[in-house]
Amino acid sequence: MTQRNADVRAALEFHAATRYWRDDDGGIAMGTPPALENAIWEEDRSLEPYPFKVYETLEPIPLPRDFAASSIPALEALSASGLDGAAAPDLELLARIGLLSNGLLDRTVTVRDTVITYRTAGGTGARYHLELYVVCCDLPDLPAGVYHYSALDHSLRQVRSGDVRAALGVEAPVVMAVTSTFWRNAWRYKARAYRHAFWDAGTSLSQALAVAASAGVPAELVLGFADAAVNAVLGVDGAREATVALCALGRGGPPAPDVAELPPVNLPVRPVSPREVEFPAIGAMHRASSLDTRAEVAAWRSATVAAKSPEPAGRLVTLHPLPDDAVPPDPVEDVIPRRRSTRRYDTEAELSFRDFSTLLDRSARGFAADVLPPLACYLIVHAVEGLTPGVYLHHPALGAVELLRAGDFRADSARIAVGQSYCADAHVNAYWLADLRPLLERYGNRGYRAAQLVSALRAGKLHLGTHALRLGACGSTSADDEVIEFFSPHAAGMSYLFVTVFGVRRPRGPG
């Protein structure tokens, strides 16, 4: 690791500086007392960022929109290991992944005279800031090169020609890169947008991995890479727009040829805003968690953290998920377009224990990645068939949940979620927490990136699973320290990463 990655104060200080708190007026403050500030920016609406990256001089390569339904049920695809399958990536797979992990839906909302078009993967506050690029060898229907996926018109644009995969340090026929243009999210969320970069990337990648699995194409998440080298390949500056994750697609293929020094990419791009406001904590944290050389990358990828699995002290309840031959047949092509944030739950109904079990089991299964930081999933159960309401911890290796504290915690669910009432109405609140110190000691500041992204990826799998079961879910936010206090003493010393609530949707009323 670099020296800046070895000193993990950057991650701990950034996490502390971007904590949420409920203020006395019912709003949200950010920081660590007494240094608190308003959590929301949006001070100049004339600067509202344009939500798409547009290369002004590159011709679009049209992509198909209509796909034959895959034969693998969505619940199987979202829980796939990523190691199976022998199909090779092609243009249709790139079109599927682009559309189903960052493409546009035929659904809009108007917020203060701004029309926002929803995407297939959720984004914090609908402030969409992610871009997808693919770096490939020669494919049967696409020449080798670097391509940008345009969500605006569902097309590819060639940024570079030729096979430059070797410059990425990842071996695969296709490498997909996910970047964030930080300002497009920071316009609303200030420095906390850096957390959101990894939350939203994890959500998007949960769907990309499921799409690849549904097509029989192996896929592996790659979080360790040389930042400057990868950004240079893509032609992004690494400061305003930076790579946050890679995904290797396919196996084998022609070896990547050696690459000479690449010329810079100087292509005119539509401005995101008339001007941008800088939040220095974003750049500081990104630099502190960057890797510079191949040797640093190799050392980072080889690090491991032993997942602590304390012996359960409370009552264990064995889960009973649906067997493979009983999951709904709906494929990802049908499930992803109906994915949305559900904020209205049927408080008169119970969530079936079988569906509860299935969602926990499927979302916690392993997937191929260079690192998988250990996370803990705490649950606040309000209304699950046959399950005592209370606080639970999921033990994936045991196929069980442990009752930590019984009781009705609906009011607490809304309170720690900064007053959002749908958290009290939902049948279950799922919180992903991590003990950051041992994780950072082993992975450096970059371990913070990994923890945030993987927590959101697991939540994304659960969210997608609810729609496969005709249920609903919603990602949310919470007051960091109140979350830890609520789940303590069991969660003492841990840090809040991500929360998703889920359950039975409230039936639509007449008309």
Side-chain angles (χ1 to χ4, degrees):
M1 282 182 285
T2 59
Q3 182 59 39
R4 64 172 178 264
N5 240 303
D7 183 352
V8 300
R9 287 177 298 180
L12 296 173
E13 291 171 0
F14 175 83
H15 193 70
T18 55
R19 288 174 177 150
Y20 271 1
W21 303 77
R22 289 179 300 121
D23 63 26
D24 295 336
D25 298 323
I28 304 175
M30 184 174 71
T32 298
L36 293 178
E37 60 182 281
N38 190 329
I40 303 299
W41 196 77
E42 292 189 357
E43 294 175 6
D44 186 343
R45 299 205 65 81
S46 72
L47 301 182
E48 183 171 8
Y50 189 60
F52 303 98
K53 183 170 187 176
V54 178
Y55 286 95
E56 296 178 323
T57 59
L58 297 181
E59 290 297 318
I61 301 170
L63 296 173
R65 286 184 176 271
D66 298 320
F67 312 115
S70 54
S71 60
I72 299 175
L75 275 171
E76 288 191 24
L78 69 87
S79 57
S81 69
L83 301 174
D84 300 324
D90 56 14
L91 188 65
E92 180 174 309
L93 176 71
L94 303 183
R96 285 178 184 257
I97 289 178
L99 186 62
L100 295 175
S101 70
N102 198 36
L104 298 181
L105 290 168
D106 188 20
R107 295 203 301 266
T108 62
V109 64
T110 301
V111 181
R112 299 192 190 100
D113 299 324
T114 297
V115 177
I116 298 172
T117 303
Y118 287 119
R119 306 244 183 145
T120 46
T124 43
R127 306 309 315 176
Y128 299 112
H129 55 99
L130 300 182
E131 300 293 337
L132 303 183
Y133 297 78
V134 291
V135 182
C136 65
C137 62
D138 282 322
L139 303 180
D141 42 12
L142 187 71
V146 178
Y147 297 86
H148 171 253
Y149 171 74
S150 171
L152 181 62
D153 59 5
H154 183 56
S155 68
L156 294 179
R157 284 171 171 78
Q158 189 178 67
V159 177
R160 290 187 189 276
S161 61
D163 189 345
V164 296
R165 291 173 297 146
L168 300 177
V170 179
E171 295 182 8
V174 174
V175 180
M176 183 178 76
V178 182
T179 70
S180 171
T181 301
F182 299 123
W183 165 241
R184 289 191 347 216
N185 195 269
W187 176 79
R188 176 169 174 80
Y189 294 109
K190 296 185 172 180
R192 193 170 166 106
Y194 194 70
R195 292 196 195 190
H196 297 175
F198 297 94
W199 289 6
D200 295 343
T203 301
S204 178
L205 284 162
S206 70
Q207 298 182 191
L209 294 178
V211 173
S214 74
V217 174
E220 180 180 3
L221 178 65
V222 180
L223 300 181
F225 51 86
D227 292 76
V230 169
N231 290 325
V233 170
L234 305 181
V236 302
D237 64 9
R240 293 178 56 259
E241 180 185 1
T243 307
V244 295
L246 302 176
C247 183
L249 298 169
R251 186 181 292 120
D258 292 336
V259 177
E261 184 174 349
L262 295 173
V265 173
N266 293 310
L267 295 169
V269 177
R270 173 175 172 168
V272 170
S273 294
R275 66 179 177 87
E276 299 181 16
V277 176
E278 183 181 1
F279 297 94
I282 292 176
M285 181 59 206
H286 194 67
R287 290 189 296 272
S289 58
S290 291
L291 300 174
D292 293 334
T293 67
R294 293 283 181 90
E296 291 173 349
V297 170
W300 190 84
R301 290 177 183 170
S302 65
T304 58
V305 177
K308 292 183 179 179
S309 300
E311 288 296 322
R315 178 167 62 89
L316 281 181
V317 181
T318 301
L319 299 173
H320 294 286
L322 287 167
D324 288 349
D325 60 1
V327 299
D330 307 36
V332 292
E333 295 84 7
D334 292 344
V335 172
I336 289 176
R338 65 183 188 233
R339 180 196 189 279
R340 62 191 67 206
S341 294
T342 302
R343 292 179 172 85
R344 295 163 60 88
Y345 293 93
D346 188 348
T347 56
E348 301 300 317
E350 288 187 314
L351 176 66
S352 78
F353 186 69
R354 181 57 64 91
D355 286 347
F356 171 79
S357 300
T358 300
L359 291 169
L360 292 184
D361 169 63
R362 294 282 175 173
S363 63
R365 294 190 186 184
F367 54 91
D370 55 351
V371 300
L372 283 174
L375 308 174
C377 181
Y378 288 84
L379 307 160
I380 309 175
V381 172
H382 299 316
V384 173
E385 173 193 21
L387 203 57
T388 300
V391 177
Y392 290 80
L393 176 66
H394 182 206
H395 291 274
L398 301 177
V401 291
E402 176 190 359
L403 178 62
L404 302 179
R405 189 164 79 248
D408 182 345
F409 297 110
R410 289 186 184 272
D412 295 277
S413 294
R415 174 181 59 80
I416 66 176
V418 290
Q420 296 175 107
S421 61
Y422 60 82
C423 296
D425 294 339
H427 296 69
V428 182
N429 289 202
Y431 276 87
W432 282 266
L433 310 181
D435 186 348
L436 287 180
R437 288 192 177 273
L439 191 152
L440 295 174
E441 287 173 5
R442 194 64 175 142
Y443 291 120
N445 289 305
R446 200 180 190 87
Y448 186 75
R449 298 192 195 183
Q452 295 286 5
L453 189 146
V454 173
S455 67
L457 195 154
R458 293 206 178 278
K461 288 174 175 284
L462 188 149
H463 195 146
L464 193 59
T466 66
H467 290 285
L469 295 171
R470 303 283 177 169
L471 302 167
C474 184
S476 189
T477 194
S478 292
D480 295 58
D481 285 9
E482 291 188 46
V483 170
I484 304 306
E485 180 183 356
F486 175 77
F487 288 114
S488 290
H490 197 280
M494 303 189 83
S495 295
Y496 158 69
L497 299 176
F498 200 83
V499 57
T500 288
V501 306
F502 61 99
V504 181
R505 293 176 295 192
R506 186 189 304 176
R508 293 182 179 273

